[in-house]
Amino acid sequence: MAPTREGFLDNNQHRIALFLDFENLVTNTGFTAGNFDLQPAMDRLLERGKVVFRRAYCDWSRFKEAKGNLHEFGVELIDVPPSTRSGKNGADMRLVIDALELCYAREHIDMFAIASGDSDFCPLAYKLRENGKQLIGLAVKEATSPLFVKACDEFIYLRPRTRAEKDKEKRAQENEEAGKGRGGKHGKGQGERQGKEQAHGPKGKAEGSKAEGSKAEVPESVVEVVQRLLARTTGTLNPSLIKEALVRKEPDFDERDHGFSSFTKLLSALEQEGVLKRVQQGRQWYVMAPDAAPLEPSPGRGRSARPPAEEEDEEEVYPDPVDDF
């Protein structure tokens, strides 16, 4: 029997193991045990695959307020009481042992997520990558060691919600409840959209307004990576390969930090600067060298490019990469 579409997707998605060094996440980071929200981190991980393993480590007698929230996400709480008079606990060591055991005993888990900014996890990161596992780091930017960032394949920065964002979420919930009371679908939809914007953290409007308010500028490192990739290809290049190359060079790379609301906007800016040329093949967009010969239009399709003015609402949908750059 041929595999179903659901089976095909299930067999090809990443299996992710999430480990949280909880005390590190709520010490001098702006988070507290009471306001720590795992939802933004889970949303980012679920974009990459299925989170099949979830554990958090600390002395839970000190962070009781966080237990309920973490239980809602199915996180197993590993209690590690202080092992010395100075109060230092063995949570880091326990996390490392469990991660390595999982690495060798569960081959189907191919991606690990370590929520911590501690450079003590660098040796663990090296060992996981040495065994062919992809590693994602998660932590607050101001409390993260640059050494650990470089040791990961990708790094996602977390941020605590501001008072304005909390007030906005509260208003969204009130609007949603009011919409339900009136039986109006429009009010409900608006409340859900506002709630999702808040839950996604860095992708929400609070962060987006910052990017829009600042001048968008293409970093020189991005130009160098794109030029090297284009020099090595004789045809078109999948945009997802460019993003992967940038993340490999800078694990914490995010185009929004440079004033671009999406990766498509960044590619458009590179095209305007003459670094690359974007072309359309079927429903997909590709990248090629600016001096490359134009592609022959496919049968039944007379258009190979779209004016920049029409790209404002272009959806970022790229096919899966097939080459390893």
Side-chain angles (χ1 to χ4, degrees):
M1 180 182 295
T4 63
R5 177 174 177 81
E6 289 78 8
F8 176 81
L9 292 175
D10 185 66
N11 291 333
N12 286 273
Q13 66 181 352
H14 290 293
R15 265 71 169 187
I16 306 172
L18 172 62
F19 293 86
L20 296 97
D21 178 12
F22 192 79
E23 183 174 353
N24 180 274
L25 294 176
V26 296
T27 302
N28 300 323
T29 61
F31 283 114
T32 65
N35 72 7
F36 181 79
D37 186 8
L38 188 60
Q39 185 68 58
M42 289 297 297
D43 288 342
R44 301 292 293 275
L45 292 178
L46 290 173
E47 293 173 0
R48 292 153 176 78
K50 186 176 182 180
V51 184
V52 298
F53 186 94
R54 311 172 187 188
R55 278 187 181 176
Y57 301 77
C58 76
D59 177 8
W60 291 108
S61 64
R62 300 175 53 200
F63 304 101
K64 296 179 181 179
E65 300 89 344
K67 288 185 175 182
N69 183 24
L70 293 174
H71 276 308
E72 291 180 1
F73 288 94
V75 178
E76 181 183 1
L77 307 182
I78 306 300
D79 189 30
V80 188
S83 57
T84 64
R85 292 183 178 179
S86 62
K88 179 158 181 73
N89 60 57
D92 293 4
M93 183 64 69
R94 179 69 183 274
L95 190 157
V96 170
I97 293 173
D98 287 354
L100 289 176
E101 180 183 10
L102 203 66
C103 173
Y104 292 113
R106 300 288 186 270
E107 295 183 358
H108 66 283
I109 296 180
D110 60 344
M111 181 176 287
F112 284 70
I114 308 296
S116 177
D118 196 339
S119 61
D120 289 345
F121 290 111
C122 285
L124 172 62
Y126 302 146
K127 183 59 65 173
L128 291 174
R129 296 177 65 181
E130 179 183 326
N131 282 274
K133 311 297 184 182
Q134 295 187 48
L135 179 61
I136 298 178
L138 306 100
V140 176
K141 188 172 185 177
E142 292 75 15
T144 300
S145 167
L147 295 176
F148 185 53
V149 173
K150 295 297 183 182
C152 297
D153 293 298
E154 182 180 355
F155 208 94
I156 299 173
Y157 288 121
L158 307 176
R159 66 183 182 92
R161 292 180 296 175
T162 63
R163 180 181 297 274
E165 291 172 335
K166 293 179 181 178
D167 292 341
K168 182 178 179 179
E169 182 181 16
K170 183 178 180 180
R171 290 195 300 270
Q173 293 175 348
E174 293 174 350
N175 291 338
E176 182 177 356
E177 293 176 358
K180 289 181 179 179
R182 294 192 303 268
K185 295 182 179 180
H186 178 72
K188 178 181 178 181
Q190 183 179 6
E192 289 178 348
R193 287 194 300 271
Q194 291 176 342
K196 289 180 180 179
E197 288 170 357
Q198 174 61 44
H200 281 76
K203 289 187 177 182
K205 286 188 176 180
E207 186 96 353
S209 60
K210 177 182 178 181
E212 293 174 359
S214 59
K215 182 179 178 181
E217 184 176 353
V218 179
E220 187 62 30
S221 59
V222 174
V223 176
E224 293 176 358
V225 169
V226 172
Q227 289 176 337
R228 283 200 299 267
L229 290 174
L230 292 176
R232 293 163 52 187
T233 182
T234 57
T236 58
L237 187 64
N238 192 325
S240 62
L241 291 175
I242 298 177
K243 183 64 176 286
E244 290 177 2
L246 291 170
V247 172
R248 282 198 296 268
K249 182 178 180 181
E250 300 178 21
D252 58 345
F253 174 81
D254 191 329
E255 60 274 2
R256 289 168 296 189
D257 293 338
H258 305 285
F260 298 95
S261 60
S262 68
F263 193 64
T264 299
K265 300 295 192 300
L266 176 59
L267 293 178
S268 298
L270 288 169
E271 185 175 25
Q272 294 176 6
E273 294 183 7
V275 177
L276 54 82
K277 179 167 58 176
R278 300 176 66 214
V279 294
Q280 186 177 13
Q281 292 181 317
R283 298 180 59 188
Q284 305 297 340
W285 284 87
Y286 295 87
V287 169
M288 59 192 309
D291 55 352
L295 298 176
E296 295 182 4
S298 303
R301 296 186 179 92
R303 182 178 65 170
S304 61
R306 186 191 306 175
E310 299 181 14
E311 296 177 0
E312 291 299 322
D313 298 323
E314 179 185 336
E315 184 179 0
E316 289 191 84
V317 178
Y318 307 127
D320 293 332
V322 296
D323 299 322
D324 185 14
F325 280 78

